[in-house]
């Protein structure tokens, strides 16, 4: 709050025997408090918007991590399949070579 706002906030409603605020003083107090309330309301709205954007960013980060995990799992499966295919190819080449040697025509 501002210094004037603090001064006004520290004041309390008049008690018996206390000075009663005139209309001008009451309007001034209301104006300062209203201004402070508006400033605080704006700050609350700013903080709520920031909090919301942080939550959205955290949610997006979690989704991205999950997507990365899923992609890692897919890549591992693909790597395993590649290794299997390499072994099959190697065996197939060996059979091909055996068959070539077996049916190779030797010149007379």
């Amino acid at each position: 709050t501002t210094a004037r706002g603090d001064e006004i906030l520290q004041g309390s409603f008049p008690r018996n025997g206390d000075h009663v605020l005139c209309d001008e003083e009451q309007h001034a107090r209301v104006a300062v408090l209203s201004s402070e309330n508006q400033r605080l309301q704006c700050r609350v709205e700013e903080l709520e918007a920031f909090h919301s954007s942080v939550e959205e960013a955290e949610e997006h980060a979690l989704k991205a991590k999950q997507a990365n995990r899923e992609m890692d799992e897919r890549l591992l499966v693909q790597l395993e399949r590649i290794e299997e295919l390499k072994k099959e190819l190697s065996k197939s080449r060996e059979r091909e070579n055996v068959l070539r040697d077996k049916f190779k025509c030797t010149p007379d």
Side-chain angles (χ1 to χ4, degrees), residues 21-38:
L21 298 176
C22 67
D23 285 345
E24 190 175 293
E25 290 173 316
Q26 287 176 347
H27 287 298
R29 177 180 269 188
V30 168
V32 170
L33 291 176
S34 178
S35 174
E36 287 294 314
N37 285 343
Q38 287 177 340

Side-chain angles (χ1 to χ4, degrees), residues 1 4 7-8 13-14 17 29 35 40 44 48 55 58-59 67 87 102:
T1 60
R4 175 73 177 137
E7 179 182 310
I8 290 174
F13 291 102
R29 177 180 269 188
S35 174
L40 291 172
V44 166
E48 286 174 339
E55 284 181 334
E58 288 173 343
E59 184 178 324
K87 289 176 185 176
K102 185 175 184 179

Side-chain angles (χ1 to χ4, degrees), residues 50-66:
F50 176 74
H51 181 71
S52 176
S53 66
V54 167
E55 284 181 334
E56 288 176 16
E58 288 173 343
E59 184 178 324
H60 180 72
L62 286 174
K63 287 180 181 179
K65 285 181 182 180
Q66 179 62 32

Side-chain angles (χ1 to χ4, degrees), residues 71-95:
M71 289 301 290
D72 286 346
E73 290 172 7
R74 287 181 182 169
L75 287 172
L76 287 174
V77 168
Q78 289 177 351
L79 284 173
E80 289 172 1
R81 181 65 181 142
I82 288 170
E83 290 302 316
E84 290 172 9
L85 290 172
K86 282 182 178 180
K87 289 176 185 176
E88 287 180 30
L89 178 61
S90 179
K91 288 178 184 177
S92 178
R93 284 183 178 159
E94 285 176 21
R95 285 191 305 269

